[in-house]
Amino acid sequence: MKNIVREDRSDCRNLTVEERSGNRAGRVRLYDQNSIKEMNWPDTVDGRYARLYLEPMMLDGTQSYISNVETTLLLARLDDLVIPLTVNEAEYDNAYVCSPYTHYVSYAKQELNMLQKPVLEKGLSVLLSLLGWGMRQSRINKVVHVNNWLLSTNLYPAMSGEQAVKLLVAVQERYPKHAVVFRSLCPGLHPDLTDKLSEAGCRLIPSRQIYLYRASDPNFGNAKSRWLLKRDYQLLAKHGYDFVSEADMTMTDIPRIAELYRLLYLEKYSYDNPQFSERMITTAMATGTLRLYGLRKEGQLDAIMGYFCRNGVMTTPLFGYDTAVPQSVGLYRMLSACLIGQARDNGHLLHESAGAAQFKRNRGAVADFEYSAVYVRHLPRGRRWCWSLLDRLLNRVGVPLMRRMKL
């Protein structure tokens, strides 16, 4: 970060860059569990949402809400932005949302069977094991994640590239021995952020291929995709399901909601996904931080989704269905059609994360890549090499391979 970060931090790590220079405008303030009550929350849509979602986690601890996330949660206040930070030292068994090791090694190993090429899978598994050993040696999990809402997809508020760099500077000065990472960046959605963070010295390291639905666009998809969505939606009437909102849900539904998420995201996919507790779902329902909808039949919920919107984009961190129901019934197809319908009604771009590639493409989704902006220039060489290797491997090999195989 040339000419931005000063090297002498011995007596000023708890102050912001602007405070030390005497300029109080646009300063970054950090709040921890002990000082959160002193925070002046901005009276904006994003500020109110941040308080409802983040304050309980700050006061009660993240593991009360997401059982496999052990981290120190901080809040950064910059202008009218409230940005969550997570600080980790190692925690190699954490969910991938705050563990680069889990994301690039543990979870990646579990997804190799998607390639359906046994020889390639075996070779890549060996490579990942070697890479994982090196990552541990280089302490890759000694990291601060910026704008980390501890969800599969971190939506960004209306943040400028200059504000992102200010956050980078403040965090790097406060934590000079940690890598600094901005997850969930997509150049197509965040051009200013990715450009400015790259100029400040961040590496853009691919994390996953994602799928975007511009459902509010009248030209969204094609005739085939529109026909498929219509057919998927008609399955509700065929199988006797009602599409219900949270107004039709009660506290007695919460254990079932947690079960449906567990059946899909944890048991079918991976326990390295965030493991939401019933308390998380109860809080989301009470505060409205997730808009809950489900498919109910004969009084029982068989599918659930919970989405939120920010800065013109919506995503669904809570999604699940009863995997014991025969696939021919089409719970996933029904729920996905309802979700796209919500995006169309709300006028939002739908960020559908990763997975089910062909299914999503067939229904009009456009593939893109998500990156982590990683700043490690301040770290010794022994801590930087694994990030450099990931940069080369994923940008030169991983992304072209995924594009070719349409994963």
Side-chain angles (χ1 to χ4, degrees), residues 57-204:
M57 288 190 187
M58 290 287 293
L59 296 175
D60 302 330
T62 56
Q63 289 185 291
S64 297
Y65 298 87
I66 309 174
S67 61
N68 62 337
V69 169
E70 181 183 355
T71 190
T72 298
L73 181 61
L74 303 176
L75 300 184
R77 172 75 191 269
L78 171 60
D79 303 324
D80 282 336
L81 300 176
V82 177
I83 304 297
L85 314 175
T86 56
V87 184
N88 283 90
E89 303 296 326
E91 296 84 35
Y92 292 103
D93 294 325
N94 259 355
Y96 74 88
V97 296
C98 58
S99 168
Y101 179 89
T102 304
H103 180 94
Y104 288 111
V105 179
S106 304
Y107 205 126
K109 280 187 175 183
Q110 297 169 47
E111 293 194 318
L112 287 177
N113 60 358
M114 293 171 56
L115 298 173
Q116 297 183 350
K117 294 182 181 295
V119 176
L120 179 59
E121 291 169 23
K122 185 175 181 179
L124 289 176
S125 180
V126 173
L127 177 62
L128 286 171
S129 294
L130 291 172
L131 181 62
W133 178 85
M135 284 181 170
R136 285 176 176 264
Q137 299 305 305
S138 64
R139 302 172 69 190
I140 194 171
N141 271 14
K142 192 174 181 68
V143 61
V144 179
H145 283 95
V146 181
N147 194 50
N148 191 5
W149 299 77
L150 301 174
L151 302 172
S152 55
T153 301
N154 294 307
L155 297 185
Y156 279 76
M159 181 194 302
S160 70
E162 288 78 9
Q163 288 174 316
V165 172
K166 281 186 178 181
L167 287 166
L168 172 60
V169 171
V171 171
Q172 191 270 321
E173 291 198 335
R174 176 72 179 268
Y175 294 96
K177 296 182 180 180
H178 287 67
V180 183
V181 177
F182 291 70
R183 280 183 60 232
S184 304
L185 285 171
C186 175
L189 299 179
H190 315 106
D192 189 39
L193 297 184
T194 53
D195 287 349
K196 292 298 192 298
L197 288 170
S198 295
E199 291 171 7
C202 288
R203 294 176 177 271
L204 290 182

Side-chain angles (χ1 to χ4, degrees), residues 16-28 166:
T16 65
V17 176
E18 291 76 10
E19 285 174 323
R20 290 196 295 280
S21 65
N23 177 15
R24 298 178 64 83
R27 64 185 177 180
V28 178
K166 281 186 178 181

Side-chain angles (χ1 to χ4, degrees), residues 280-396:
M280 174 80 164
I281 296 166
T282 301
T283 304
M285 182 181 288
T287 60
T289 49
L290 289 179
R291 300 182 191 179
L292 299 176
Y293 289 85
L295 302 180
R296 194 188 293 276
K297 181 179 180 179
E298 298 175 355
Q300 177 169 278
L301 281 174
D302 280 346
I304 188 68
M305 66 182 184
Y307 69 83
F308 71 104
C309 309
R310 180 173 296 123
N311 199 23
V313 182
M314 63 181 281
T315 192
T316 50
L318 180 65
F319 197 90
Y321 58 86
D322 191 337
T323 54
V325 174
Q327 190 174 359
S328 58
V329 174
L331 284 173
Y332 179 75
R333 292 160 59 192
M334 286 185 263
L335 196 61
S336 296
C338 291
L339 175 61
I340 294 171
Q342 287 288 299
R344 183 186 297 114
D345 293 344
N346 293 337
H348 286 85
L349 181 148
L350 175 59
H351 188 311
E352 269 243 275
S353 297
Q358 194 59 51
F359 177 92
K360 294 173 182 177
R361 289 176 188 271
N362 288 344
R363 286 153 180 79
V366 177
D368 208 334
F369 275 88
E370 204 170 69
Y371 295 80
S372 290
V374 180
Y375 188 79
V376 291
R377 285 188 175 183
H378 58 298
L379 298 180
R381 185 173 299 176
R383 296 278 313 284
R384 297 197 308 263
W385 73 266
C386 62
W387 292 107
S388 178
L389 181 60
L390 278 174
D391 187 357
R392 290 185 174 90
L393 282 176
L394 294 174
N395 277 302
R396 298 179 185 180

